């Protein structure tokens, strides 16, 4: 461009790129449409291994840990964690400001109840509990997994992607693990609007 310095050319290019991004964002904030491989019938991710239920869970819930691109567990809802030298006590602290879609804060009691419910039905959790003495809340945003003997897959169990450990409200997680939860109130990026759910047509 005649008469423009390289710096001004780059600035103009950056401004044009930003305008394009903002225009795209303005159009992208309405509706996400997709056609899944099956109809969503079961909301409770502990009751079934169906991919459609897990995929729906990933949209509305959050997890304590998640795997990175190298399949290494990384904190998600957890802000920090430690392991005792003997490997028997794992301490976790939740990130501040976590809230469920109903406005209630996510607490350590929610995390503990969710882990316990998960561990009564999902094989990875059942296995971990064979090494576990107790799982307790130690504060409003902190909890511990106390083992009776070392178990090397604690973080992998909390981060497992195949049957994910989603964090639900304590009130939902403390019910009979063999009875499906019919509510779906999480703290993830999407809110499930049950009043607009039309099975076989729209979620």
């Amino acid at each position: 461009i005649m008469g423009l310095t390289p710096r001004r050319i780059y600035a103009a290019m950056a401004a044009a790129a930003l305008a394009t991004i903002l225009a795209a964002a303005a159009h992208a904030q309405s509706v996400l449409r997709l056609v899944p491989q099956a109809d969503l019938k079961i909301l409770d991710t502990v009751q079934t291994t169906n991919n459609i239920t897990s995929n729906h869970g990933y949209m509305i819930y959050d997890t304590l840990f998640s795997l990175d691109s190298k399949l290494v567990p990384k904190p998600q809802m957890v802000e920090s964690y430690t392991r005792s030298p003997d490997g028997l006590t794992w301490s976790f602290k939740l990130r501040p400001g976590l809230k469920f879609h109903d406005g209630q804060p996510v607490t350590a009691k929610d995390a503990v109840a969710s882990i316990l419910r998960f561990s009564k039905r999902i094989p990875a959790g059942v296995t971990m509990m064979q090494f576990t003495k107790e799982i307790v809340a130690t504060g409003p945003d902190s909890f511990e997994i106390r083992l009776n003997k070392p178990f090397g897959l604690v973080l992998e169990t909390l981060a497992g992607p195949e049957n994910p450990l989603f964090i639900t409200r304590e009130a939902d997680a403390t019910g009979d693990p063999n009875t499906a939860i019919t509510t779906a109130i999480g703290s993830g990026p999407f809110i499930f609007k049950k009043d607009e759910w039309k099975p076989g047509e729209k979620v």
Side-chain angles (χ1 to χ4, degrees):
I1 302 174
M2 298 296 293
L4 290 181
T5 65
R7 173 179 258 174
R8 288 185 177 178
I9 291 173
Y10 292 141
M13 292 172 62
L18 179 59
T20 301
I21 291 170
L22 292 175
H27 290 289
Q29 62 183 349
S30 54
V31 177
L32 172 66
R33 298 185 188 280
L34 62 91
V35 180
Q37 87 285 359
D39 181 34
L40 178 67
K41 295 183 181 298
I42 301 173
L43 300 176
D44 190 343
T45 59
V46 171
Q47 293 294 314
T48 180
T49 58
N50 287 340
N51 286 338
I52 185 62
T53 299
S54 292
N55 291 344
H56 182 251
Y58 271 118
M59 296 179 76
I60 63 172
Y61 295 114
D62 205 348
T63 58
L64 297 172
F65 287 81
S66 189
L67 300 181
D68 67 9
S69 61
K70 297 181 181 178
L71 303 182
V72 176
K74 298 293 184 181
Q76 185 88 359
M77 298 176 79
V78 168
E79 180 181 60
S80 60
Y81 66 96
T82 60
R83 184 183 71 166
S84 63
D86 62 7
L88 295 180
T89 302
W90 290 78
S91 302
F92 303 90
K93 181 178 176 60
L94 297 174
R95 288 192 292 111
L98 296 173
K99 288 188 177 183
F100 288 109
H101 298 149
D102 63 0
Q104 296 300 309
V106 178
T107 70
K109 289 184 177 181
D110 300 307
V112 169
S114 297
I115 295 171
L116 292 175
R117 186 170 192 272
F118 166 90
S119 297
K120 291 175 181 175
R121 290 186 58 91
I122 303 301
V126 172
T127 300
M128 183 176 74
M129 289 305 289
Q130 295 173 4
F131 295 79
T132 301
K133 179 169 62 176
E134 59 183 352
I135 303 176
V136 296
T138 55
D141 60 355
S142 60
F143 65 96
E144 290 184 351
I145 297 178
R146 299 169 182 170
L147 306 176
N148 50 39
K149 50 186 174 181
F151 178 61
L153 299 174
V154 171
L155 297 185
E156 287 77 5
T157 300
L158 302 181
E162 186 61 30
N163 299 123
L165 168 57
F166 294 118
I167 301 305
T168 63
R169 300 177 304 176
E170 180 187 21
D172 296 326
T174 52
D176 180 1
N178 296 310
T179 300
I181 294 174
T182 57
T183 58
I185 297 175
S187 62
F190 290 87
I191 296 173
F192 175 60
K193 304 195 72 175
K194 192 173 182 180
D195 59 327
E196 296 183 20
W197 181 27
K198 298 179 181 178
E201 181 182 344
K202 183 178 78 169
V203 179

